[in-house]
Amino acid sequence: TQLLEQSPQFLSIQEGENLTVYCNSSSVFSSLQWYRQEPGEGPVLLVTVVTGGEVKKLKRLTFQFGDARKDSSLHITAAQPGDTGLYLCAGGGGSTLGRLYFGRGTQLTVWP
Amino acid sequence: DAGVIQSPRHEVTEMGQEVTLRCKPISGHDYLFWYRQTMMRGLELLIYFNNNVPIDDSGMPEDRFSAKMPNASFSTLKIQPSEPRDSAVYFCASSQASGRGYTFGSGTRLTVV
């Protein structure tokens, strides 16, 4: 059973398009993180959000933490081929005793 | 900082052989995690340590898997005997504190034939 559900599982788009991926849970998390993983490498942390309703921007990427701290979204504006990768969300903090719970990820492919 | 260092990067072994994966976490990070990643199951937490002490090993599949952290700068994950279904990418990650972001190593791709 996955504590965090990500959707869509796969996304294939053309360069320049906008997209949103989602991360949902029935559990409340103290913090939620987004990672990007490229082939042959480990996931790399993009952002951490800790406050319900919080919005963070990283260039063309916008991350939002839901008001109830159960869900999050990642929006990419004008996607580029370099955005291609597996995007993973992970929830933790509070009573999770140091561990993060990862979703299965969204595999994004951006075609030139 | 060199980041989390894992070795080897690739390992091909025959069924029944012992496999040892190694990890050097980032200095000063109190948490160390071992994950396994497959297409079917995604990232699975196998075991994690806090200050070298195992906290949760409920993700270790069977008694064939064991992990140690003899000191703050080194950990091993051992599979004995290995089976084809153990084929996966194994990641080590470390974290400075509870709830903080993880730094992952580049992983070890294990193939058991």
Side-chain angles (χ1 to χ4, degrees):
Chain A
T1 303
Q2 289 288 134
L3 212 56
L4 286 164
E5 296 290 339
Q6 291 190 243
S7 62
Q9 188 175 355
F10 298 96
L11 191 54
S12 181
I13 62 172
Q14 291 293 130
E15 182 176 3
E17 293 184 20
N18 302 331
L19 66 113
T20 302
V21 298
Y22 300 92
C23 174
N24 295 293
S25 176
S26 58
S27 300
V28 176
F29 292 102
S30 298
S31 68
L32 197 134
Q33 300 171 7
W34 286 91
Y35 294 77
R36 179 169 65 208
Q37 184 178 16
E38 297 184 15
E41 297 298 327
V44 175
L45 178 67
L46 296 175
V47 76
T48 300
V49 285
V50 298
T51 305
E54 182 176 2
V55 176
K56 280 193 175 179
K57 293 192 174 184
L58 188 66
K59 296 183 181 179
R60 294 175 295 99
L61 278 61
T62 302
F63 305 86
Q64 183 162 7
F65 201 10
D67 291 340
R69 291 184 289 132
K70 291 183 178 181
D71 55 86
S72 181
S73 63
L74 159 59
H75 181 79
I76 301 179
T77 303
Q80 299 177 0
D83 296 326
T84 294
L86 179 67
Y87 288 82
L88 296 157
C89 68
S95 62
T96 61
L97 299 177
R99 68 167 290 180
L100 293 174
Y101 292 87
F102 281 85
R104 292 283 302 273
T106 292
Q107 179 62 53
L108 171 66
T109 303
V110 182
W111 300 98
Chain B
D1 195 331
V4 175
I5 300 172
Q6 290 187 247
S7 64
R9 281 300 305 269
H10 299 92
E11 177 80 34
V12 180
T13 190
E14 291 185 346
M15 182 174 63
Q17 296 298 305
E18 177 179 297
V19 175
T20 300
L21 311 182
R22 297 173 175 79
C23 175
K24 176 179 170 54
I26 291 176
S27 177
H29 281 195
D30 294 332
Y31 288 86
L32 183 139
F33 306 84
W34 281 101
Y35 281 87
R36 178 170 68 178
Q37 188 176 42
T38 61
M39 288 290 291
M40 291 295 293
R41 301 173 69 90
L43 268 174
E44 298 177 276
L45 177 66
L46 299 176
I47 185 171
Y48 76 101
F49 298 83
N50 178 215
N51 292 323
N52 314 336
V53 176
I55 302 301
D56 184 352
D57 66 353
S58 60
M60 297 285 261
E62 303 167 26
D63 292 344
R64 298 184 297 106
F65 285 68
S66 62
K68 294 182 180 180
M69 192 165 185
N71 57 63
S73 59
F74 184 65
S75 177
T76 59
L77 177 68
K78 186 176 294 186
I79 308 173
Q80 166 64 22
S82 58
E83 296 182 4
R85 59 191 167 125
D86 301 330
S87 297
V89 181
Y90 290 80
F91 286 104
C92 174
S94 69
S95 174
Q96 192 170 23
S98 178
R100 291 283 190 93
Y102 290 7
T103 301
F104 283 82
S106 296
T108 295
R109 180 173 293 277
L110 173 65
T111 303
V112 183
V113 297

